[in-house]
Amino acid sequence: MVRALLFGLAAAVVLLVSQAGGVSYNGLAITPQMGWDNWNAFGCDVSEDLLLGTAQKIVDYGLRDLGYYYVVLDDCWSTGRSSNGTLMVNMTKFPNGMGHVADQIHNMDLGFGMYSSAGTYTCGQYAGSLGHEAQDAETFASWGVDYLKYDNCYNEGQSGTPLITYNRYKNMSDALNATGRPILYSMCNWGEDYPWKWAQTMANSWRMSGDIYDSFDRPDERCPCSGDEGYNCALPGFHCSVMNILNKMAAIQSKSQPGAWNDMDMLEVGNGGMTDDEYKLHFSMWAMMKSPLIMGTDVRSMDAQTLSIYSNPAVIAISQEPAGSAGIRSWRYYVNATDEYGQGEISLWTSNLANGDYV
């Protein structure tokens, strides 16, 4: 049985406006960022053709006009560092260079995002940016990057307390700001050391959980925390289901604010592991919780059902409304009728909107 989440859409469409200025540390992400990232659907199988073909489809399908702005290249794009320490692009995957990719994406009135890690290596074991923050930030800016996803792999043990992790991520925040180019800073430290307590003054979003996978509620030992621990999850893990991540948000939803968002990870809608109703709930709750809405499927070949979910204007309006107030879990109880994984619960989530309506 699919666990039910009872929520009502009181307003069909909310005016999409942004508060001028807000409290964003760099003036960006006044509403949760929207876009696409290749990782969920493609992993390391990245190329210039993939990015530019996806960007064109985002335009053709009208998704850009709905707010999907950033086209984000995830891991596995480099071949290491040159003799002077500069990051080098894999010219087989990106034969015209990264500046060309950025220019083509900008010509479509979209933003270009890239990936690195606050470690010696990225999660795919390519060159990371730990100790190279200023040099790499200048490189990203020179290529025309508008968004940086900054991961947490191979961090040389520089974690374990909020201050240690804050300082490690603050180094890149300062380096990005020093370039003079507006670059949205998306921290991906999986909720380690409680980023919702301290990241608002140096990042636009922070991952609050281990990595998502394409399942609605299937438990997985690789994602050992269930959400019942509150916010105190010692090992974020990965292969976390939609419901696992959603229930972890209950304790920390108040920490999101305009310019600084709890990131529940990229969307799995369209990747085939859930039913249509489960994907609708996944998308709707990410919007209600004011998580970034980053598509994670192959946009070039998605079917009509997937496109209809990603392009639902009422749900997008809830995500982008100016109050930026994430949903509250009003109540939750378990039920005897469970699904094939032994899961069964009903919960009520509500949120106030800027115009006085609520969902």
Side-chain angles (χ1 to χ4, degrees):
M1 173 184 117
V2 175
R3 289 184 290 184
L5 287 160
L6 308 178
F7 61 94
L9 298 180
V13 178
V14 180
L15 183 63
L16 297 180
V17 296
S18 297
Q19 293 174 328
V23 296
S24 172
Y25 86 103
N26 60 1
L28 301 175
I30 300 303
T31 57
Q33 64 262 32
M34 298 174 63
W36 172 87
D37 182 294
N38 64 267
W39 185 258
N40 285 2
F42 296 96
C44 280
D45 188 14
V46 294
S47 68
E48 178 179 310
D49 288 344
L50 171 63
L51 264 67
L52 298 185
T54 298
Q56 187 61 59
K57 285 296 185 181
I58 289 172
V59 174
D60 293 345
Y61 287 146
L63 293 166
R64 177 194 62 189
D65 297 334
L66 290 170
Y68 293 97
Y69 178 67
Y70 294 103
V71 177
V72 182
L73 169 62
D74 213 286
D75 204 350
C76 314
W77 55 265
S78 82
T79 56
R81 296 186 180 273
S82 68
S83 58
N84 68 3
T86 303
L87 286 167
M88 297 186 299
V89 175
N90 185 321
M91 298 303 290
T92 301
K93 296 179 177 181
F94 300 92
N96 295 297
M98 213 57 79
H100 170 79
V101 173
D103 288 344
Q104 294 303 305
I105 289 173
H106 292 153
N107 288 342
M108 300 182 210
D109 293 326
L110 295 167
F112 176 46
M114 290 193 70
Y115 165 100
S116 189
S117 179
T120 302
Y121 304 105
T122 69
C123 296
Q125 299 184 338
Y126 295 82
S129 293
L130 184 66
H132 297 270
E133 291 86 357
Q135 184 176 27
D136 291 356
E138 287 291 345
T139 298
F140 296 143
S142 73
W143 288 339
V145 169
D146 306 296
Y147 182 117
L148 180 66
K149 175 184 173 181
Y150 203 43
D151 220 328
N152 192 33
C153 289
Y154 298 97
N155 62 33
E156 305 292 347
Q158 295 185 39
S159 62
T161 71
L163 183 58
I164 291 173
T165 298
Y166 171 87
N167 287 335
R168 179 162 53 93
Y169 278 90
K170 182 69 157 53
N171 287 338
M172 181 56 84
S173 177
D174 291 343
L176 293 173
N177 289 342
T179 68
R181 181 176 182 81
I183 299 176
L184 190 151
Y185 187 32
S186 174
M187 283 176 42
C188 183
N189 82 320
W190 324 319
E192 284 191 348
D193 296 326
Y194 319 119
W196 48 84
K197 293 184 177 181
W198 46 261
Q200 291 87 347
T201 59
M202 46 83 78
N204 299 113
S205 62
W206 52 87
R207 281 278 303 284
M208 45 65 63
S209 172
D211 290 357
I212 195 171
Y213 83 124
D214 191 14
S215 174
F216 184 69
D217 68 351
R218 180 181 181 273
D220 192 302
E221 291 185 356
R222 291 166 288 186
C223 181
C225 299
S226 67
D228 292 336
E229 308 87 355
Y231 63 82
N232 191 22
C233 177
L235 181 62
F238 62 104
H239 267 225
C240 300
S241 71
V242 164
M243 287 300 301
N244 177 286
I245 294 172
L246 177 60
N247 282 324
K248 289 172 181 171
M249 274 290 287
I252 61 171
Q253 58 79 31
S254 65
K255 300 301 183 180
S256 288
Q257 61 189 48
W261 307 104
N262 278 305
D263 181 359
M264 300 165 72
D265 207 356
M266 298 166 286
L267 293 156
E268 292 281 6
V269 176
N271 288 335
M274 299 183 234
T275 68
D276 197 51
D277 284 341
E278 289 168 346
Y279 278 140
K280 289 176 183 177
L281 191 147
H282 171 27
F283 184 65
S284 298
M285 293 308 296
W286 261 232
M288 184 183 187
M289 300 310 293
K290 303 303 189 285
S291 174
L293 296 181
I294 305 297
M295 297 182 290
T297 194
D298 187 351
V299 172
R300 302 167 306 171
S301 61
M302 64 182 175
D303 59 23
Q305 292 93 332
T306 299
L307 178 58
S308 71
I309 293 171
Y310 279 131
S311 60
N312 187 306
V315 177
I316 292 172
I318 290 167
S319 163
Q320 300 293 297
E321 63 91 27
S325 178
I328 298 169
R329 191 174 66 191
S330 300
W331 49 259
R332 174 197 190 195
Y333 61 87
Y334 294 100
V335 297
N336 292 326
T338 58
D339 63 15
E340 60 185 309
Y341 307 119
Q343 307 298 301
E345 69 176 74
I346 299 176
S347 56
L348 173 67
W349 298 74
T350 63
S351 181
N352 297 322
L353 304 179
N355 66 351
D357 288 335
Y358 64 92
V359 293

